[in-house]
Amino acid sequence: MHDEMVSESPYLIVVGAAYLLAMLLASVRYWFSVPSTGLALATLLYLVGAVLGAA
């Protein structure tokens, strides 16, 4: 039930993407490269999943 609510809500998908992008920008600015690489991969996979889910 909750999976359907999250995957069908454009607002929650955008909020999730915005959060990941904000964390990625903060990691590039303040942390080492390993967290930035992990967050970049997580953000990329999240966006790919959102696009494929919308199609």
Side-chain angles (χ1 to χ4, degrees):
M1 177 178 157
H2 295 291
D3 293 337
E4 293 172 0
M5 181 178 70
V6 172
S7 64
E8 293 178 4
S9 171
Y11 173 75
L12 292 177
I13 291 172
V14 170
V15 168
Y19 176 76
L20 282 171
L21 288 170
M23 291 301 296
L24 178 60
L25 292 174
S27 74
V28 168
R29 176 72 170 103
Y30 296 109
W31 296 333
F32 299 106
S33 64
V34 174
S36 297
T37 303
L39 279 167
L41 180 61
T43 303
L44 176 67
L45 291 174
Y46 183 88
L47 293 175
V48 167
V51 168
L52 291 176

